């Protein structure tokens, strides 16, 4: 893979080892929270490009954290996507104002980007970051969408 | 955004707070611990956003409350409801961290939608800055302990070099030497 194949290379190049060399191309079904309006431009935007950013301090303390801010946040199963959404919404009932309250299923193919390993942490099970290549467009690849019922 | 009942303020409250760390973070902070040079503790609790702002509740907590929360003896809900001060602030932060729509709320003016479920407890896995937060707590406890010592030293005219021989615990003083009440 060439570095400049990444959609957000302009940002990624500012950080060391970003995306990490441990990221791999994958071919799986993945799940992402989206808004009810399937064309909402924030549906497939990395968190650091969504405005206004949810921050309360100017500093980011980890290079890795900022690097992943230019990746898409995804889950490896519908259940994991749903559980994490419910977990956050129990604490922050208006969380849907940030990420929507639907979950979309998309098919990721090898030529579309590289992914981190899915998390094995209980509180964040199956969550992974996906760094898109330039041509990737997940708006056209939603195979299923459903509202998350809490 | 939900329209809040409360008193609108035209000044930024709680100047000079600095961030200790996030107690909950998922792609950005959701609950953060702040402090100031008086060693007071405050929480920034994210509650809602729209296309312009993120809304945070800001309220003071005690060291004891923080410790209980981290030990899962106190819920997130109780941190808000068993407030230390009588006021909670609501602020809308824009992209550049400018403060807007600053409100002072009583606890009963907080909308239901802004309150967590009653059973939500701390989770170490959701807390990326646990070490930093614990070290801040240790630092505060050590300062408090020294203050206690100073307090007793003044009250009972105990020389500085003897104060360490006094063991303070459970509201009792066990002395090794002569106490001289004023």
């Amino acid at each position: 893979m060439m570095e400049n194949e990444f959609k957000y290379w302009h940002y990624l190049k500012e950080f060391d080892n970003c995306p990490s060399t441990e990221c791999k191309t994958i071919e799986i079904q993945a799940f992402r929270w989206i808004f009810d309006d399937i064309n909402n431009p924030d549906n497939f935007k990395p968190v650091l490009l969504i405005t206004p950013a949810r921050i309360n301090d100017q500093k980011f303390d980890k290079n890795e954290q900022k690097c992943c801010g230019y990746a898409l946040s995804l889950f490896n199963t519908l259940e994991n996507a749903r559980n994490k959404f419910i977990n956050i919404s129990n604490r922050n009932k208006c969380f849907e104002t940030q990420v929507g309250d639907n979950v979309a299923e998309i098919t990721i193919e090898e030529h579309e980007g590289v992914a981190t390993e899915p998390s094995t942490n209980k509180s964040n099970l199956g969550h992974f970051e996906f760094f898109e290549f330039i041509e990737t467009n997940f708006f056209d690849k939603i195979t299923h969408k459903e509202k998350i019922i809490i | 955004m939900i329209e809040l009942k409360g008193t609108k303020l035209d000044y930024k409250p709680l100047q000079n707070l600095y961030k200790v760390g996030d107690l909950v973070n998922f792609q950005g902070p959701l609950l953060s611990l702040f402090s100031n040079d008086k060693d007071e503790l405050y929480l920034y609790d994210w509650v809602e956003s729209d296309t312009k702002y993120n809304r945070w509740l800001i309220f003071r907590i005690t060291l004891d409350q923080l410790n209980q929360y981290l030990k899962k003896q106190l819920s997130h809900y109780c941190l808000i409801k068993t407030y230390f001060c009588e006021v909670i602030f609501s602020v809308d932060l824009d992209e550049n961290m400018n403060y807007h729509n600053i409100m002072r709320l009583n606890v009963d003016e907080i909308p239901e939608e802004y309150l967590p479920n009653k059973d939500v407890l701390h989770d170490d896995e959701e807390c990326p800055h646990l070490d930093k937060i614990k070290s801040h707590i240790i630092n505060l406890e050590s300062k408090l302990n020294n203050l206690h010592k100073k307090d007793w030293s003044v009250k009972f005219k105990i020389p500085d070099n003897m104060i360490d021989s006094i063991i303070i615990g459970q509201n009792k003083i066990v002395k090794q030497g002569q106490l001289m009440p004023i």
Side-chain angles (χ1 to χ4, degrees):
Chain A
M1 124 204 29
M2 299 283 289
E3 288 168 335
N4 58 8
E5 278 183 305
F6 289 105
K7 190 182 269 186
Y8 303 107
W9 180 243
H10 174 69
Y11 301 101
L12 303 181
K13 68 179 182 185
E14 300 298 322
F15 313 110
D16 297 335
N17 191 28
C18 179
S20 157
T21 46
E22 288 172 19
C23 292
K24 299 276 183 285
T25 58
I26 48 168
E27 229 177 78
I28 57 163
Q29 297 300 109
F31 300 83
R32 177 169 167 87
W33 305 322
I34 64 166
F35 291 90
D36 191 41
D37 172 10
I38 220 160
N39 295 313
N40 186 312
D42 287 343
N43 280 345
F44 291 99
K45 211 181 254 183
V47 66
L48 285 183
L49 296 179
I50 294 175
T51 55
R54 178 167 31 92
I55 50 172
N56 53 28
D57 186 49
Q58 296 288 11
K59 289 174 278 180
F60 272 89
D61 57 350
K62 278 187 187 169
N63 190 62
E64 183 195 330
Q65 192 184 347
K66 202 157 184 176
C67 168
C68 284
Y70 294 101
L72 290 181
S73 178
L74 297 168
F75 290 87
N76 60 357
T77 68
L78 174 62
E79 192 190 6
N80 286 338
R82 197 190 280 138
N83 286 346
K84 183 64 185 180
F85 181 87
I86 292 170
N87 169 274
I88 297 177
S89 298
N90 285 340
R91 190 183 279 282
N92 302 93
K93 290 184 180 139
C94 297
F95 187 57
E96 64 178 66
T97 60
Q98 284 260 301
V99 298
D101 60 353
N102 281 249
V103 61
E105 181 174 0
I106 53 173
T107 308
I108 299 180
E109 295 170 81
E110 272 196 353
H111 61 86
E112 290 180 309
V114 296
T116 59
E117 277 292 314
S119 169
T120 52
N121 275 359
K122 205 175 126 207
S123 75
N124 209 18
L125 201 60
H127 176 259
F128 65 97
E129 309 285 358
F130 188 79
F131 295 87
E132 296 167 88
F133 290 152
I134 292 170
E135 302 293 331
T136 304
N137 179 8
F138 287 132
F139 281 95
D140 297 336
K141 300 200 73 186
I142 299 174
T143 53
H144 177 73
K145 170 179 95 85
E146 66 179 59
K147 190 174 164 66
I148 304 172
I149 310 289
I150 296 180
Chain B
M1 294 271 212
I2 295 172
E3 197 169 325
L4 297 173
K5 293 173 189 162
T7 310
K8 191 153 187 166
L9 302 179
D10 57 5
Y11 62 92
K12 183 184 163 187
L14 312 172
Q15 310 261 10
N16 303 323
L17 291 182
Y18 65 88
K19 188 168 175 173
V20 180
D22 294 331
L23 286 156
V24 184
N25 184 304
F26 183 82
Q27 297 208 301
L30 286 164
L31 182 66
S32 307
L33 180 69
F34 281 71
S35 189
N36 60 14
D37 56 6
K38 291 184 206 159
D39 293 330
E40 294 165 340
L41 298 171
Y42 288 86
L43 292 181
Y44 270 57
D45 194 353
W46 181 88
V47 288
E48 196 185 2
S49 66
D50 63 13
T51 52
K52 285 168 100 176
Y53 306 119
N54 279 285
R55 179 168 288 170
W56 300 83
L57 297 182
I58 309 173
F59 52 95
R60 190 171 166 192
I61 59 165
T62 62
L63 183 57
D64 196 36
Q65 280 179 305
L66 178 60
N67 269 322
Q68 284 185 58
Y69 173 73
L70 290 174
K71 288 177 192 160
K72 303 183 192 222
Q73 293 164 349
L74 196 67
S75 67
H76 185 170
Y77 178 90
C78 281
L79 279 179
I80 302 171
K81 284 291 202 175
T82 57
Y83 54 96
F84 180 75
C85 286
E86 290 197 350
V87 289
I88 286 188
F89 296 98
S90 165
V91 300
D92 292 350
L93 292 191
D94 68 18
E95 185 70 10
N96 300 310
M97 297 276 304
N98 296 313
Y99 284 63
H100 304 265
N101 307 321
I102 302 163
M103 303 282 289
R104 193 174 61 209
L105 308 171
N106 294 322
V107 166
D108 55 10
E109 289 173 325
I110 299 172
E112 184 60 32
E113 293 89 335
Y114 289 179
L115 293 171
N117 285 357
K118 289 181 180 169
D119 56 356
V120 174
L121 299 171
H122 168 73
D123 182 346
D124 281 358
E125 285 189 357
E126 293 176 329
C127 180
H129 304 135
L130 192 60
D131 289 345
K132 255 174 154 175
I133 288 167
K134 283 187 173 170
S135 127
H136 190 76
I137 289 173
I138 289 167
N139 186 28
L140 287 187
E141 283 173 340
S142 152
K143 280 189 189 172
L144 271 176
N145 205 14
N146 285 337
L147 270 178
H148 256 106
K149 283 182 184 175
K150 257 188 197 164
D151 195 36
W152 281 101
S153 167
V154 170
K155 204 167 181 179
F156 296 105
K157 290 185 179 170
I158 301 165
D160 280 354
N161 60 357
M162 283 182 66
I163 193 68
D164 275 337
S165 64
I166 296 175
I167 302 156
I168 302 170
Q170 304 290 322
N171 297 326
K172 290 175 188 167
I173 272 206
V174 181
K175 71 173 180 64
Q176 294 174 1
Q178 185 72 45
L179 291 182
M180 296 168 282
I182 297 166

